[in-house]
PDB file of all heavy atoms in Angstrom:
ATOM      1  N   VAL A  15       1.806   0.286 -19.557  1.00 87.00           N
ATOM      2  CA  VAL A  15       1.499   1.729 -19.557  1.00 87.00           C
ATOM      3  C   VAL A  15       2.730   2.519 -19.968  1.00 87.00           C
ATOM      4  O   VAL A  15       2.662   3.439 -20.792  1.00 87.00           O
ATOM      5  CB  VAL A  15       0.977   2.186 -18.189  1.00 87.00           C
ATOM      6  CG1 VAL A  15       0.938   3.702 -18.087  1.00 87.00           C
ATOM      7  CG2 VAL A  15      -0.404   1.604 -17.921  1.00 87.00           C
ATOM      8  N   ALA A  16       3.886   2.168 -19.426  1.00 88.00           N
ATOM      9  CA  ALA A  16       5.130   2.881 -19.754  1.00 88.00           C
ATOM     10  C   ALA A  16       5.433   2.758 -21.255  1.00 88.00           C
ATOM     11  O   ALA A  16       5.715   3.754 -21.913  1.00 88.00           O
ATOM     12  CB  ALA A  16       6.287   2.323 -18.933  1.00 88.00           C
ATOM     13  N   GLN A  17       5.337   1.542 -21.772  1.00 88.00           N
ATOM     14  CA  GLN A  17       5.633   1.335 -23.177  1.00 88.00           C
ATOM     15  C   GLN A  17       4.676   2.104 -24.074  1.00 88.00           C
ATOM     16  O   GLN A  17       5.081   2.693 -25.071  1.00 88.00           O
ATOM     17  CB  GLN A  17       5.590  -0.165 -23.510  1.00 88.00           C
ATOM     18  CG  GLN A  17       6.750  -0.914 -22.898  1.00 88.00           C
ATOM     19  CD  GLN A  17       6.561  -2.430 -22.966  1.00 88.00           C
ATOM     20  OE1 GLN A  17       5.516  -2.931 -23.322  1.00 88.00           O
ATOM     21  NE2 GLN A  17       7.607  -3.151 -22.604  1.00 88.00           N
ATOM     22  N   ARG A  18       3.396   2.124 -23.716  1.00 86.00           N
ATOM     23  CA  ARG A  18       2.416   2.857 -24.526  1.00 86.00           C
ATOM     24  C   ARG A  18       2.664   4.358 -24.485  1.00 86.00           C
ATOM     25  O   ARG A  18       2.254   5.062 -25.387  1.00 86.00           O
ATOM     26  CB  ARG A  18       1.013   2.542 -24.054  1.00 86.00           C
ATOM     27  CG  ARG A  18       0.558   1.182 -24.497  1.00 86.00           C
ATOM     28  CD  ARG A  18      -0.903   1.009 -24.281  1.00 86.00           C
ATOM     29  NE  ARG A  18      -1.317  -0.275 -24.816  1.00 86.00           N
ATOM     30  CZ  ARG A  18      -2.548  -0.699 -24.792  1.00 86.00           C
ATOM     31  NH1 ARG A  18      -3.504   0.053 -24.280  1.00 86.00           N
ATOM     32  NH2 ARG A  18      -2.850  -1.868 -25.290  1.00 86.00           N
ATOM     33  N   SER A  19       3.320   4.819 -23.445  1.00 85.00           N
ATOM     34  CA  SER A  19       3.611   6.244 -23.361  1.00 85.00           C
ATOM     35  C   SER A  19       5.017   6.569 -23.888  1.00 85.00           C
ATOM     36  O   SER A  19       5.490   7.683 -23.760  1.00 85.00           O
ATOM     37  CB  SER A  19       3.452   6.735 -21.913  1.00 85.00           C
ATOM     38  OG  SER A  19       4.454   6.174 -21.092  1.00 85.00           O
ATOM     39  N   GLY A  20       5.684   5.567 -24.449  1.00 87.00           N
ATOM     40  CA  GLY A  20       6.994   5.790 -25.048  1.00 87.00           C
ATOM     41  C   GLY A  20       8.149   5.792 -24.061  1.00 87.00           C
ATOM     42  O   GLY A  20       9.219   6.300 -24.371  1.00 87.00           O
ATOM     43  N   LEU A  21       7.930   5.245 -22.870  1.00 91.00           N
ATOM     44  CA  LEU A  21       8.967   5.243 -21.837  1.00 91.00           C
ATOM     45  C   LEU A  21       9.250   3.821 -21.368  1.00 91.00           C
ATOM     46  O   LEU A  21       8.465   2.900 -21.604  1.00 91.00           O
ATOM     47  CB  LEU A  21       8.517   6.078 -20.640  1.00 91.00           C
ATOM     48  CG  LEU A  21       8.258   7.548 -20.911  1.00 91.00           C
ATOM     49  CD1 LEU A  21       7.624   8.206 -19.691  1.00 91.00           C
ATOM     50  CD2 LEU A  21       9.548   8.260 -21.278  1.00 91.00           C
ATOM     51  N   VAL A  26       9.561   5.779 -15.890  1.00 92.00           N
ATOM     52  CA  VAL A  26       8.321   6.197 -15.255  1.00 92.00           C
ATOM     53  C   VAL A  26       8.506   6.279 -13.749  1.00 92.00           C
ATOM     54  O   VAL A  26       8.089   7.247 -13.110  1.00 92.00           O
ATOM     55  CB  VAL A  26       7.152   5.233 -15.627  1.00 92.00           C
ATOM     56  CG1 VAL A  26       5.914   5.560 -14.812  1.00 92.00           C
ATOM     57  CG2 VAL A  26       6.863   5.316 -17.115  1.00 92.00           C
ATOM     58  N   ARG A  90       2.996  14.454 -18.842  1.00 94.00           N
ATOM     59  CA  ARG A  90       3.134  13.004 -19.060  1.00 94.00           C
ATOM     60  C   ARG A  90       2.740  12.232 -17.814  1.00 94.00           C
ATOM     61  O   ARG A  90       2.077  11.213 -17.883  1.00 94.00           O
ATOM     62  CB  ARG A  90       4.576  12.691 -19.467  1.00 94.00           C
ATOM     63  CG  ARG A  90       4.850  11.238 -19.794  1.00 94.00           C
ATOM     64  CD  ARG A  90       4.300  10.807 -21.149  1.00 94.00           C
ATOM     65  NE  ARG A  90       4.872  11.564 -22.227  1.00 94.00           N
ATOM     66  CZ  ARG A  90       5.912  11.140 -22.973  1.00 94.00           C
ATOM     67  NH1 ARG A  90       6.462   9.971 -22.743  1.00 94.00           N
ATOM     68  NH2 ARG A  90       6.381  11.901 -23.932  1.00 94.00           N
ATOM     69  N   LEU A  94      -0.100   9.305 -17.251  1.00 92.00           N
ATOM     70  CA  LEU A  94       0.239   8.018 -16.635  1.00 92.00           C
ATOM     71  C   LEU A  94      -0.644   7.749 -15.415  1.00 92.00           C
ATOM     72  O   LEU A  94      -1.141   6.628 -15.236  1.00 92.00           O
ATOM     73  CB  LEU A  94       1.720   7.994 -16.247  1.00 92.00           C
ATOM     74  CG  LEU A  94       2.703   7.944 -17.402  1.00 92.00           C
ATOM     75  CD1 LEU A  94       4.109   8.340 -16.933  1.00 92.00           C
ATOM     76  CD2 LEU A  94       2.703   6.589 -18.058  1.00 92.00           C
TER      77      LEU A  94
END
Side-chain angles (χ1 to χ4, degrees):
V15 168
Q17 290 168 351
R18 285 192 176 181
S19 67
L21 298 171
V26 172
R90 183 75 60 97
L94 290 164

